[in-house]
Amino acid sequence: MQVILKAIEYYLPPSVLDNPQLCEVAPNWTPQKIQSKTGIEERRISEDGELASDLAVKAATLLFESGACQPDDIDFLLLCTQSPDYFLPTTACLLQHRLGLRTNCGAFDFNLGCSGFIYGLGVSKGLIETGQAKNVLLITAETYTKFITPNDMSVRALFGDASAATLLTANDSEDIPNPAIGPFVYGTDGRGAKNLIVKTGGMRSPVAGLACGGGDEDADEHPLVPPTLYMNGPEIFLFTLDAVPDLVQAMLDRTGMTFDDFDLFVFHQANEYMLKHLRDKIEIPPDRFYVSMSHCGNTVSSTIPIALKEAHKAGRLKTGDRIMLVGFGVGYSWGATVLRWSF
Amino acid sequence: MRNSSFLAALHDLFEVDAGTIQLTSVLKDVPGWSSLTFIGLIATIDDEFGVSVSPITILNCNTVADLLQAIDVDQTEVETPQHKMAA
């Protein structure tokens, strides 16, 4: 019994923020410059009141409509998000009900960003290969744009909202090489927490009017600062220069493989300029390094499943292909695995 | 030679006409200096010299010549890996 990745669908909210729109508020930028320094042409922005859970419902519905599975088939739901509906209950419980999943279905959220899809695959493999679940619905859903102030152009230029729904299922067939997912390499360095962070809104810095029940009596102690994303882009880039080449090497060491053994490399789609620099630094062959983010930007934990889906649509993946997946970012947190394409 | 190669790379990065950037140029006054090009500058230094220079080090440099000097220091330091992979 082994886990395979059986299907991926993703959903982008319809509202578009393109480079000419960004330049209207950043006169020293040009659309060409944003394109050349990020690889992004447009990002999708969730509406006011449209939450990560709403995007998750849309992505999961697309998965069910594709015929890959039905709600009744799912016996475990994993939701990777840093934009939950509430402190509690866990948003995955709300989704169990909204998606019409069985009540004898396990469900929980985990809070990770750009490394989240890798960790979700790791947990799914554990659940399925120990017989705890047969069909895991792994949803990544994020609305970072709600954390971004309108004048923070460097962050607005990068992030878009999205959700991806991935079906992991138990497989007995010998058609798919074993392991179909794995091994895994993980890493964490909390010293980098301050470089990509939403500081307010949690217990360390509650927000008046949000955490304090809407009254003004605590306003002095808890100033009304909406939860805002802070990103130190150069520090994050420096982290990736240090961590990602070692991460890829650790995976090669673990598997005993070389670049030639891989059909495709799919990294977290952080920023195309940065990715190409990493690719060249690590000396990954450009024709096997897949980038797909110009249509949606950096969608955090959904970038890898979106790029996989696009690579499949573009005919770049066939059954049995070996793909190295590499996620890295907020935390700092990172992880990599090897996926055998199975559809 | 080393300086001219780096200056040429800076012209490519900032997309400015040849001769715009000199060793005496103040980094933050280079046309096109922004958060986007800051990341590009770290990448360019990594390409040219094979070292990852921290953003703080770059921000402490006034001119291109200061930056080259800081890179020299980084290159001669014994590097200790900051991030260890979990086995």
Side-chain angles (χ1 to χ4, degrees):
Chain A
M1 182 69 66
Q2 70 157 336
V3 63
I4 61 167
L5 191 161
K6 196 173 171 190
I8 300 172
E9 295 292 339
Y10 73 88
Y11 176 79
L12 304 176
S15 177
V16 170
L17 175 64
D18 63 18
N19 292 344
Q21 287 172 285
L22 276 174
C23 291
E24 284 171 19
V25 277
N28 56 335
W29 290 10
T30 64
Q32 295 74 19
K33 185 150 200 164
I34 298 174
Q35 164 69 31
S36 75
K37 300 300 180 202
T38 66
I40 301 164
E41 284 180 21
E42 60 181 49
R43 312 108 194 108
R44 300 299 188 89
I45 313 295
S46 54
E47 302 292 331
D48 285 348
E50 184 180 30
L51 308 183
S53 56
D54 299 317
L55 305 184
V57 168
K58 294 271 181 48
T61 302
L62 288 172
L63 189 72
F64 298 142
E65 287 172 357
S66 77
C69 61
Q70 292 308 310
D72 271 354
D73 299 327
I74 304 301
D75 50 12
F76 218 105
L77 169 64
L78 297 173
L79 173 67
C80 176
T81 190
Q82 301 186 306
S83 324
D85 284 22
Y86 308 109
F87 278 128
L88 61 123
T90 232
T91 305
C93 294
L94 307 177
L95 287 180
Q96 174 274 332
H97 177 61
R98 289 180 66 183
L99 294 172
L101 306 187
R102 296 165 5 203
T103 52
N104 62 347
C105 168
F108 68 85
D109 290 5
F110 62 102
N111 177 328
L112 281 174
C114 313
S115 61
F117 187 70
I118 306 293
Y119 283 73
L121 292 181
V123 173
S124 300
K125 182 181 171 79
L127 289 169
I128 287 174
E129 295 188 0
T130 55
Q132 297 181 70
K134 287 197 168 113
N135 292 298
V136 176
L137 174 57
L138 168 61
I139 302 182
T140 50
E142 213 55 82
T143 54
Y144 265 34
T145 66
K146 295 191 193 305
F147 292 135
I148 300 175
T149 52
N151 58 354
D152 191 347
M153 298 309 299
S154 59
V155 180
R156 283 185 80 193
L158 284 182
F159 290 106
D161 298 331
S163 175
T166 303
L167 177 64
L168 289 310
T169 191
N171 178 62
D172 283 326
S173 157
E174 294 181 358
D175 295 346
I176 308 295
N178 193 352
I181 304 178
F184 286 83
V185 178
Y186 299 114
T188 307
D189 186 350
R191 285 177 298 178
K194 62 183 182 300
N195 294 323
L196 186 46
I197 190 167
V198 175
K199 279 193 173 174
T200 56
M203 300 314 292
R204 188 167 293 283
S205 188
V207 174
L210 293 179
C212 302
D216 289 330
E217 63 273 17
D218 293 320
D220 289 342
E221 195 179 341
H222 304 305
L224 185 54
V225 180
T228 303
L229 182 73
Y230 167 77
M231 183 179 77
N232 185 330
E235 284 289 352
I236 298 289
F237 182 52
L238 195 69
F239 150 68
T240 65
L241 287 180
D242 279 344
V244 176
D246 287 353
L247 177 58
V248 171
Q249 188 58 50
M251 182 51 80
L252 294 178
D253 293 345
R254 176 72 64 87
T255 55
M257 292 177 186
T258 69
F259 291 146
D260 287 344
D261 294 309
F262 291 89
D263 300 288
L264 209 64
F265 293 81
V266 178
F267 283 27
H268 162 56
Q269 311 278 293
N271 165 337
E272 185 171 0
Y273 180 88
M274 202 176 98
L275 284 178
K276 285 185 169 167
H277 181 78
L278 280 172
R279 176 198 70 193
D280 294 343
K281 185 179 175 69
I282 303 170
E283 299 181 344
I284 294 172
D287 61 328
R288 279 181 275 150
F289 189 84
Y290 199 74
V291 177
S292 176
M293 65 183 302
S294 70
H295 67 303
C296 60
N298 178 341
T299 56
V300 196
S301 49
S302 292
T303 65
I304 293 176
I306 289 174
L308 285 171
K309 179 76 182 177
E310 290 301 317
H312 184 237
K313 275 163 57 181
R316 292 292 303 274
L317 289 172
K318 59 184 186 304
T319 306
D321 275 1
R322 185 184 281 126
I323 312 151
M324 189 189 290
L325 307 181
V326 180
F328 47 87
V330 56
Y332 300 141
S333 167
W334 60 93
T337 191
V338 181
L339 170 69
R340 301 300 291 260
W341 195 249
S342 43
F343 61 98
Chain B
M1 189 61 196
R2 184 189 82 135
N3 291 357
S4 60
S5 162
F6 184 55
L7 281 173
L10 289 183
H11 284 85
D12 285 347
L13 170 66
F14 289 101
E15 297 171 9
V16 291
D17 295 333
T20 307
I21 306 173
Q22 306 288 335
L23 288 175
T24 51
S25 298
V26 173
L27 284 169
K28 277 168 226 154
D29 294 341
V30 171
W33 175 265
S34 71
S35 55
L36 296 179
T37 44
F38 196 158
I39 286 173
L41 181 57
I42 296 172
T44 301
I45 295 168
D46 188 36
D47 277 341
E48 292 285 315
F49 304 106
V51 290
S52 309
V53 175
S54 82
I56 295 291
T57 302
I58 294 174
L59 288 171
N60 284 336
C61 295
N62 187 38
T63 64
V64 174
D66 294 341
L67 182 57
L68 280 163
Q69 198 172 3
I71 292 165
D72 277 343
V73 172
D74 264 34
Q75 275 185 314
T76 50
E77 275 177 3
V78 178
E79 288 189 8
T80 46
Q82 201 179 355
H83 303 284
K84 295 281 185 197
M85 298 302 122

